[in-house]
Amino acid sequence: MRVLFIGDVVGRPGRQVVQAVLPRLRAELALAYVVANGENSAGGAGITAKTAAELFEAGVDVITTGDHVWDQKETDKLLEENPRVLRPLNYPPGVPGRGSCLVHKEGCAPLAVVNAQGRTFMPALENPFLVVPPEVDRLRRETPVILVDFHAEATSEKIAFARMLDGRVSAVIGTHTHVPTADEQIFPGGTAYLTDAGFTGPQASVLGREIAPVIRRFLTQCPQRFEVARDRIMLLGVWIDIDPASGRALAIQRVAVPMPETPAAPASPPDSLPTAGE
């Protein structure tokens, strides 16, 4: 069965391209499940019930997050009320929400999704190398098909983490850097891997933000307001073909789909006059 993972959805442009493109991708790629990282879906920082609902309505089955999960004040309630919106598993005990879930559609094998966060150059959380394997073992009693979103900065940490899980999960897909990598592969044990899926949103930007304020920040070191950019909007991600019986990955391929162009309004004939109300 085929699972699509959508890289970090950034702001309204990211949500809009998911809404515009995903229904077609579901049909063309015969997708069983869709997982998307939505931690930047609300104005480029955090996630809300509204932005989560838009992604679900577009066809996303599970939403993962990362270090920006708490940027919106309503996150606690969202995480408590919707088990398909995840926060990293390796937050300390007692933190709202959950770090994994199991989804099951008629005609498809169940899919388990695990969300974890790295520690190198990141906020100090529990060690994912220690916390994730027991959760994987628990989920394997329910299904062999397991996808892990590893939200981390350092490439070495991502690769080492995925190598540790080789043969125990179907795929480890990296998020957080917003820069897509070209190292998609299947490890010897049958685990598909990609260091980073990139981000879904305006590519004519600095990681999804308007270019000029970011440059001013580097030039002056003074605070700037980083608005979400608007141009060259694309959906970036990766699909994985998985054997539902064994959980082994069979194929992996990156995806980059531009926002469809809006058809231009037809020009009025040269001799025409405006009608009433125009």
CSV table of all heavy atoms in Angstrom, one decimal, residues 77-130:
chain,number,residue,atom,x,y,z
A,77,LYS,N,-5.6,22.0,24.1
A,77,LYS,CA,-7.0,21.5,23.9
A,77,LYS,C,-7.0,20.7,22.6
A,77,LYS,O,-7.6,19.6,22.6
A,77,LYS,CB,-8.0,22.7,23.8
A,77,LYS,CG,-9.4,22.2,23.7
A,77,LYS,CD,-10.4,23.4,23.7
A,77,LYS,CE,-11.8,22.9,23.5
A,77,LYS,NZ,-12.8,24.1,23.4
A,78,LEU,N,-6.4,21.2,21.5
A,78,LEU,CA,-6.4,20.5,20.3
A,78,LEU,C,-5.8,19.1,20.4
A,78,LEU,O,-6.3,18.1,20.0
A,78,LEU,CB,-5.6,21.3,19.2
A,78,LEU,CG,-5.4,20.6,17.9
A,78,LEU,CD1,-6.7,20.2,17.1
A,78,LEU,CD2,-4.5,21.4,17.0
A,79,LEU,N,-4.6,19.0,21.1
A,79,LEU,CA,-3.9,17.7,21.3
A,79,LEU,C,-4.7,16.8,22.2
A,79,LEU,O,-4.7,15.6,21.9
A,79,LEU,CB,-2.6,18.0,21.9
A,79,LEU,CG,-1.5,18.7,21.0
A,79,LEU,CD1,-0.3,19.0,21.8
A,79,LEU,CD2,-1.2,17.9,19.8
A,80,GLU,N,-5.4,17.3,23.1
A,80,GLU,CA,-6.2,16.4,24.0
A,80,GLU,C,-7.5,15.9,23.3
A,80,GLU,O,-7.9,14.8,23.5
A,80,GLU,CB,-6.7,17.2,25.3
A,80,GLU,CG,-5.5,17.6,26.2
A,80,GLU,CD,-4.9,16.4,27.0
A,80,GLU,OE1,-5.3,15.3,26.7
A,80,GLU,OE2,-4.1,16.6,27.9
A,81,GLU,N,-8.1,16.7,22.4
A,81,GLU,CA,-9.3,16.3,21.8
A,81,GLU,C,-9.2,15.6,20.5
A,81,GLU,O,-10.1,14.9,20.1
A,81,GLU,CB,-10.2,17.6,21.6
A,81,GLU,CG,-10.6,18.3,22.9
A,81,GLU,CD,-11.5,19.5,22.6
A,81,GLU,OE1,-11.6,19.9,21.4
A,81,GLU,OE2,-12.1,20.0,23.6
A,82,ASN,N,-8.0,15.7,19.8
A,82,ASN,CA,-7.9,15.0,18.5
A,82,ASN,C,-6.7,14.1,18.5
A,82,ASN,O,-5.6,14.5,18.5
A,82,ASN,CB,-7.7,16.0,17.4
A,82,ASN,CG,-8.0,15.4,16.0
A,82,ASN,OD1,-7.6,14.3,15.8
A,82,ASN,ND2,-8.7,16.1,15.2
A,83,PRO,N,-6.9,12.8,18.6
A,83,PRO,CA,-5.8,11.8,18.7
A,83,PRO,C,-5.0,11.7,17.5
A,83,PRO,O,-4.0,11.0,17.4
A,83,PRO,CB,-6.5,10.5,19.1
A,83,PRO,CG,-7.9,10.7,18.5
A,83,PRO,CD,-8.3,12.1,18.7
A,84,ARG,N,-5.5,12.3,16.4
A,84,ARG,CA,-4.8,12.2,15.1
A,84,ARG,C,-3.9,13.4,14.9
A,84,ARG,O,-3.2,13.5,13.8
A,84,ARG,CB,-5.7,12.1,13.9
A,84,ARG,CG,-6.5,10.7,13.9
A,84,ARG,CD,-7.3,10.5,12.6
A,84,ARG,NE,-8.3,11.5,12.5
A,84,ARG,CZ,-8.7,12.1,11.4
A,84,ARG,NH1,-8.0,11.9,10.2
A,84,ARG,NH2,-9.7,12.9,11.3
A,85,VAL,N,-3.8,14.3,15.9
A,85,VAL,CA,-2.8,15.4,15.9
A,85,VAL,C,-1.8,15.0,16.9
A,85,VAL,O,-2.1,15.0,18.1
A,85,VAL,CB,-3.5,16.7,16.2
A,85,VAL,CG1,-2.4,17.8,16.1
A,85,VAL,CG2,-4.6,17.1,15.1
A,86,LEU,N,-0.6,14.8,16.5
A,86,LEU,CA,0.5,14.3,17.4
A,86,LEU,C,1.5,15.4,17.8
A,86,LEU,O,1.6,16.4,17.0
A,86,LEU,CB,1.2,13.2,16.8
A,86,LEU,CG,0.4,12.0,16.3
A,86,LEU,CD1,1.4,10.9,15.6
A,86,LEU,CD2,-0.4,11.4,17.4
A,87,ARG,N,2.1,15.3,19.0
A,87,ARG,CA,3.2,16.1,19.3
A,87,ARG,C,4.4,15.0,19.6
A,87,ARG,O,4.1,13.8,19.7
A,87,ARG,CB,3.0,16.9,20.6
A,87,ARG,CG,2.3,16.3,21.7
A,87,ARG,CD,3.3,15.6,22.6
A,87,ARG,NE,2.7,15.1,23.9
A,87,ARG,CZ,3.2,14.1,24.5
A,87,ARG,NH1,4.2,13.4,24.1
A,87,ARG,NH2,2.5,13.6,25.6
A,88,PRO,N,5.6,15.5,19.6
A,88,PRO,CA,6.7,14.5,19.8
A,88,PRO,C,6.5,13.6,21.0
A,88,PRO,O,6.2,14.1,22.1
A,88,PRO,CB,8.0,15.4,19.9
A,88,PRO,CG,7.6,16.6,19.0
A,88,PRO,CD,6.1,16.8,19.3
A,89,LEU,N,6.8,12.4,20.8
A,89,LEU,CA,6.6,11.4,21.8
A,89,LEU,C,7.5,11.6,23.0
A,89,LEU,O,7.2,11.3,24.1
A,89,LEU,CB,7.0,10.0,21.2
A,89,LEU,CG,6.9,8.8,22.1
A,89,LEU,CD1,5.5,8.4,22.4
A,89,LEU,CD2,7.6,7.6,21.5
A,90,ASN,N,8.7,12.2,22.8
A,90,ASN,CA,9.7,12.3,23.8
A,90,ASN,C,9.6,13.5,24.7
A,90,ASN,O,10.6,14.0,25.3
A,90,ASN,CB,11.1,12.1,23.3
A,90,ASN,CG,11.4,13.0,22.1
A,90,ASN,OD1,10.6,13.2,21.2
A,90,ASN,ND2,12.6,13.5,22.0
A,91,TYR,N,8.4,14.2,24.7
A,91,TYR,CA,8.1,15.2,25.8
A,91,TYR,C,8.0,14.5,27.1
A,91,TYR,O,7.6,13.3,27.1
A,91,TYR,CB,6.9,16.0,25.4
A,91,TYR,CG,7.2,17.2,24.6
A,91,TYR,CD1,7.0,17.2,23.2
A,91,TYR,CD2,7.6,18.4,25.2
A,91,TYR,CE1,7.3,18.3,22.4
A,91,TYR,CE2,7.9,19.5,24.4
A,91,TYR,CZ,7.8,19.4,23.0
A,91,TYR,OH,8.1,20.5,22.3
A,92,PRO,N,8.2,15.1,28.2
A,92,PRO,CA,8.2,14.5,29.5
A,92,PRO,C,6.7,14.0,29.8
A,92,PRO,O,5.8,14.5,29.3
A,92,PRO,CB,8.6,15.6,30.5
A,92,PRO,CG,9.3,16.6,29.7
A,92,PRO,CD,8.7,16.5,28.3
A,93,PRO,N,6.6,13.0,30.7
A,93,PRO,CA,5.3,12.5,31.1
A,93,PRO,C,4.4,13.7,31.7
A,93,PRO,O,4.9,14.6,32.3
A,93,PRO,CB,5.6,11.5,32.3
A,93,PRO,CG,7.0,11.1,32.0
A,93,PRO,CD,7.7,12.3,31.4
A,94,GLY,N,3.2,13.6,31.4
A,94,GLY,CA,2.2,14.6,31.8
A,94,GLY,C,2.0,15.7,30.9
A,94,GLY,O,1.0,16.5,31.1
A,95,VAL,N,2.8,15.8,29.8
A,95,VAL,CA,2.5,16.9,28.8
A,95,VAL,C,1.3,16.5,28.0
A,95,VAL,O,1.1,15.3,27.6
A,95,VAL,CB,3.8,17.0,27.9
A,95,VAL,CG1,3.5,17.9,26.7
A,95,VAL,CG2,5.0,17.5,28.7
A,96,PRO,N,0.4,17.5,27.7
A,96,PRO,CA,-0.8,17.2,26.9
A,96,PRO,C,-0.5,16.5,25.6
A,96,PRO,O,0.6,16.7,25.0
A,96,PRO,CB,-1.4,18.5,26.7
A,96,PRO,CG,-0.9,19.4,27.8
A,96,PRO,CD,0.5,18.9,28.1
A,97,GLY,N,-1.4,15.7,25.1
A,97,GLY,CA,-1.3,15.0,23.8
A,97,GLY,C,-0.6,13.7,23.9
A,97,GLY,O,-0.3,13.1,24.9
A,98,ARG,N,-0.3,13.2,22.7
A,98,ARG,CA,0.3,11.9,22.5
A,98,ARG,C,1.3,11.9,21.4
A,98,ARG,O,1.2,12.8,20.5
A,98,ARG,CB,-0.8,10.8,22.2
A,98,ARG,CG,-1.7,11.2,21.1
A,98,ARG,CD,-3.0,10.4,21.0
A,98,ARG,NE,-3.9,10.6,22.2
A,98,ARG,CZ,-4.6,11.7,22.4
A,98,ARG,NH1,-4.6,12.7,21.6
A,98,ARG,NH2,-5.4,11.8,23.5
A,99,GLY,N,2.2,11.0,21.4
A,99,GLY,CA,3.3,11.0,20.4
A,99,GLY,C,3.1,9.9,19.3
A,99,GLY,O,4.0,9.7,18.5
A,100,SER,N,2.0,9.2,19.4
A,100,SER,CA,1.8,8.1,18.3
A,100,SER,C,0.3,7.9,18.2
A,100,SER,O,-0.5,8.2,19.1
A,100,SER,CB,2.5,6.8,18.7
A,100,SER,OG,1.9,6.2,19.8
A,101,CYS,N,-0.1,7.3,17.1
A,101,CYS,CA,-1.5,6.9,16.9
A,101,CYS,C,-1.6,5.8,15.9
A,101,CYS,O,-0.6,5.5,15.2
A,101,CYS,CB,-2.4,8.1,16.5
A,101,CYS,SG,-2.1,8.7,14.8
A,102,LEU,N,-2.8,5.2,15.9
A,102,LEU,CA,-3.0,4.1,14.9
A,102,LEU,C,-4.3,4.4,14.2
A,102,LEU,O,-5.3,4.8,14.8
A,102,LEU,CB,-3.2,2.8,15.7
A,102,LEU,CG,-3.4,1.5,14.9
A,102,LEU,CD1,-2.1,1.1,14.3
A,102,LEU,CD2,-4.0,0.4,15.7
A,103,VAL,N,-4.2,4.4,12.8
A,103,VAL,CA,-5.4,4.7,12.0
A,103,VAL,C,-5.6,3.4,11.1
A,103,VAL,O,-4.7,2.7,10.7
A,103,VAL,CB,-5.2,5.9,11.1
A,103,VAL,CG1,-5.2,7.2,12.0
A,103,VAL,CG2,-3.9,5.9,10.4
A,104,HIS,N,-6.9,3.2,10.9
A,104,HIS,CA,-7.3,2.0,10.1
A,104,HIS,C,-8.5,2.4,9.2
A,104,HIS,O,-9.5,2.8,9.6
A,104,HIS,CB,-7.7,0.9,11.1
A,104,HIS,CG,-7.9,-0.4,10.4
A,104,HIS,ND1,-8.4,-1.6,11.0
A,104,HIS,CD2,-7.6,-0.8,9.1
A,104,HIS,CE1,-8.4,-2.6,10.2
A,104,HIS,NE2,-7.9,-2.2,9.0
A,105,LYS,N,-8.3,2.2,7.9
A,105,LYS,CA,-9.3,2.4,6.9
A,105,LYS,C,-9.7,1.0,6.3
A,105,LYS,O,-8.9,0.1,6.2
A,105,LYS,CB,-8.8,3.3,5.8
A,105,LYS,CG,-8.5,4.7,6.2
A,105,LYS,CD,-8.1,5.5,4.9
A,105,LYS,CE,-8.0,7.0,5.3
A,105,LYS,NZ,-7.6,7.8,4.1
A,106,GLU,N,-11.0,1.0,6.0
A,106,GLU,CA,-11.5,-0.3,5.4
A,106,GLU,C,-10.7,-0.6,4.1
A,106,GLU,O,-10.5,0.3,3.2
A,106,GLU,CB,-13.0,-0.1,5.1
A,106,GLU,CG,-13.7,-1.3,4.6
A,106,GLU,CD,-15.2,-1.2,4.3
A,106,GLU,OE1,-15.7,-0.1,4.7
A,106,GLU,OE2,-15.8,-2.1,3.8
A,107,GLY,N,-10.3,-1.8,4.0
A,107,GLY,CA,-9.6,-2.3,2.8
A,107,GLY,C,-8.1,-2.1,2.9
A,107,GLY,O,-7.4,-2.4,2.0
A,108,CYS,N,-7.6,-1.4,4.0
A,108,CYS,CA,-6.2,-1.2,4.1
A,108,CYS,C,-5.7,-1.7,5.5
A,108,CYS,O,-6.4,-1.8,6.4
A,108,CYS,CB,-5.9,0.3,4.1
A,108,CYS,SG,-6.4,1.2,2.6
A,109,ALA,N,-4.4,-2.1,5.5
A,109,ALA,CA,-3.8,-2.5,6.8
A,109,ALA,C,-3.7,-1.3,7.7
A,109,ALA,O,-3.6,-0.2,7.2
A,109,ALA,CB,-2.4,-3.1,6.5
A,110,PRO,N,-3.8,-1.5,9.0
A,110,PRO,CA,-3.6,-0.3,9.9
A,110,PRO,C,-2.3,0.3,9.7
A,110,PRO,O,-1.3,-0.3,9.4
A,110,PRO,CB,-3.8,-0.9,11.3
A,110,PRO,CG,-4.4,-2.3,11.1
A,110,PRO,CD,-4.0,-2.7,9.7
A,111,LEU,N,-2.2,1.6,9.9
A,111,LEU,CA,-1.0,2.4,9.9
A,111,LEU,C,-0.8,3.0,11.2
A,111,LEU,O,-1.6,3.7,11.8
A,111,LEU,CB,-1.1,3.5,8.8
A,111,LEU,CG,0.0,4.6,8.9
A,111,LEU,CD1,1.4,4.0,8.4
A,111,LEU,CD2,-0.3,5.8,8.0
A,112,ALA,N,0.4,2.8,11.8
A,112,ALA,CA,0.8,3.5,13.0
A,112,ALA,C,1.8,4.6,12.6
A,112,ALA,O,2.6,4.5,11.8
A,112,ALA,CB,1.5,2.5,13.9
A,113,VAL,N,1.6,5.8,13.3
A,113,VAL,CA,2.5,6.9,13.1
A,113,VAL,C,3.1,7.3,14.4
A,113,VAL,O,2.4,7.4,15.4
A,113,VAL,CB,1.7,8.1,12.5
A,113,VAL,CG1,2.6,9.3,12.3
A,113,VAL,CG2,1.0,7.7,11.2
A,114,VAL,N,4.4,7.5,14.4
A,114,VAL,CA,5.1,8.0,15.6
A,114,VAL,C,5.8,9.3,15.2
A,114,VAL,O,6.4,9.5,14.2
A,114,VAL,CB,6.2,7.0,16.0
A,114,VAL,CG1,7.0,7.5,17.2
A,114,VAL,CG2,5.6,5.6,16.3
A,115,ASN,N,5.7,10.2,16.2
A,115,ASN,CA,6.3,11.6,16.0
A,115,ASN,C,7.3,11.7,17.1
A,115,ASN,O,7.1,11.5,18.3
A,115,ASN,CB,5.2,12.6,16.2
A,115,ASN,CG,5.5,14.0,15.8
A,115,ASN,OD1,4.7,14.9,15.9
A,115,ASN,ND2,6.7,14.2,15.3
A,116,ALA,N,8.6,12.0,16.7
A,116,ALA,CA,9.6,12.2,17.7
A,116,ALA,C,10.5,13.4,17.3
A,116,ALA,O,10.4,13.8,16.2
A,116,ALA,CB,10.5,10.9,17.7
A,117,GLN,N,11.2,13.9,18.3
A,117,GLN,CA,12.0,15.1,18.0
A,117,GLN,C,13.5,14.8,18.5
A,117,GLN,O,13.7,14.2,19.5
A,117,GLN,CB,11.5,16.3,18.8
A,117,GLN,CG,12.1,17.6,18.6
A,117,GLN,CD,11.4,18.7,19.2
A,117,GLN,OE1,10.2,18.9,19.0
A,117,GLN,NE2,12.0,19.6,20.0
A,118,GLY,N,14.4,15.3,17.6
A,118,GLY,CA,15.8,15.2,18.0
A,118,GLY,C,16.3,16.2,19.0
A,118,GLY,O,15.5,17.0,19.5
A,119,ARG,N,17.5,16.0,19.5
A,119,ARG,CA,18.0,16.8,20.6
A,119,ARG,C,19.2,17.7,20.2
A,119,ARG,O,19.5,18.6,20.9
A,119,ARG,CB,18.4,15.9,21.8
A,119,ARG,CG,17.2,15.2,22.3
A,119,ARG,CD,17.5,14.7,23.8
A,119,ARG,NE,18.7,13.9,23.9
A,119,ARG,CZ,19.1,13.4,25.1
A,119,ARG,NH1,18.5,13.8,26.2
A,119,ARG,NH2,20.2,12.7,25.2
A,120,THR,N,19.9,17.3,19.1
A,120,THR,CA,21.1,18.1,18.7
A,120,THR,C,20.7,19.4,18.1
A,120,THR,O,19.9,19.5,17.1
A,120,THR,CB,21.9,17.3,17.6
A,120,THR,OG1,22.2,16.0,18.2
A,120,THR,CG2,23.2,18.0,17.3
A,121,PHE,N,21.1,20.5,18.7
A,121,PHE,CA,20.7,21.9,18.3
A,121,PHE,C,19.2,22.1,18.4
A,121,PHE,O,18.7,23.0,17.7
A,121,PHE,CB,21.2,22.2,16.9
A,121,PHE,CG,22.6,21.9,16.6
A,121,PHE,CD1,22.9,21.0,15.6
A,121,PHE,CD2,23.6,22.5,17.3
A,121,PHE,CE1,24.3,20.7,15.3
A,121,PHE,CE2,25.0,22.1,17.1
A,121,PHE,CZ,25.3,21.3,16.0
A,122,MET,N,18.6,21.4,19.3
A,122,MET,CA,17.1,21.5,19.5
A,122,MET,C,16.9,21.6,21.0
A,122,MET,O,17.7,21.3,21.8
A,122,MET,CB,16.4,20.2,19.0
A,122,MET,CG,16.6,20.0,17.5
A,122,MET,SD,15.6,21.1,16.5
A,122,MET,CE,14.0,20.3,16.7
A,123,PRO,N,15.6,22.0,21.4
A,123,PRO,CA,15.3,22.0,22.8
A,123,PRO,C,15.5,20.6,23.5
A,123,PRO,O,15.4,19.6,22.9
A,123,PRO,CB,13.8,22.3,22.8
A,123,PRO,CG,13.6,23.0,21.6
A,123,PRO,CD,14.5,22.4,20.6
A,124,ALA,N,15.9,20.6,24.7
A,124,ALA,CA,16.3,19.4,25.5
A,124,ALA,C,15.0,18.6,25.8
A,124,ALA,O,14.3,19.0,26.7
A,124,ALA,CB,17.1,19.7,26.7
A,125,LEU,N,14.8,17.5,25.2
A,125,LEU,CA,13.7,16.6,25.5
A,125,LEU,C,14.3,15.3,25.9
A,125,LEU,O,15.5,15.1,26.0
A,125,LEU,CB,12.8,16.4,24.3
A,125,LEU,CG,12.1,17.6,23.7
A,125,LEU,CD1,11.2,17.2,22.6
A,125,LEU,CD2,11.3,18.3,24.8
A,126,GLU,N,13.4,14.3,26.2
A,126,GLU,CA,13.9,13.0,26.5
A,126,GLU,C,14.6,12.4,25.3
A,126,GLU,O,14.4,12.8,24.2
A,126,GLU,CB,12.7,12.1,26.9
A,126,GLU,CG,11.9,12.6,28.1
A,126,GLU,CD,12.6,12.6,29.4
A,126,GLU,OE1,13.6,11.9,29.5
A,126,GLU,OE2,12.1,13.4,30.3
A,127,ASN,N,15.5,11.5,25.5
A,127,ASN,CA,16.3,10.9,24.5
A,127,ASN,C,15.5,10.0,23.5
A,127,ASN,O,15.0,9.0,23.9
A,127,ASN,CB,17.5,10.0,25.1
A,127,ASN,CG,18.5,9.6,24.0
A,127,ASN,OD1,18.2,9.6,22.8
A,127,ASN,ND2,19.6,9.2,24.5
A,128,PRO,N,15.3,10.5,22.3
A,128,PRO,CA,14.4,9.7,21.4
A,128,PRO,C,15.0,8.3,21.1
A,128,PRO,O,14.2,7.4,20.8
A,128,PRO,CB,14.4,10.5,20.1
A,128,PRO,CG,15.6,11.3,20.1
A,128,PRO,CD,15.9,11.6,21.6
A,129,PHE,N,16.3,8.1,21.2
A,129,PHE,CA,16.9,6.8,20.9
A,129,PHE,C,16.5,5.8,22.0
A,129,PHE,O,16.5,4.6,21.8
A,129,PHE,CB,18.4,6.9,20.9
A,129,PHE,CG,19.0,7.6,19.7
A,129,PHE,CD1,18.9,9.0,19.5
A,129,PHE,CD2,19.5,6.8,18.7
A,129,PHE,CE1,19.4,9.6,18.4
A,129,PHE,CE2,20.0,7.4,17.5
A,129,PHE,CZ,20.0,8.8,17.4
A,130,LEU,N,16.1,6.3,23.2
A,130,LEU,CA,15.7,5.5,24.3
A,130,LEU,C,14.1,5.4,24.4
A,130,LEU,O,13.6,4.3,24.7
A,130,LEU,CB,16.2,6.0,25.6
A,130,LEU,CG,17.7,6.0,25.8
A,130,LEU,CD1,18.1,6.6,27.1
A,130,LEU,CD2,18.3,4.6,25.6
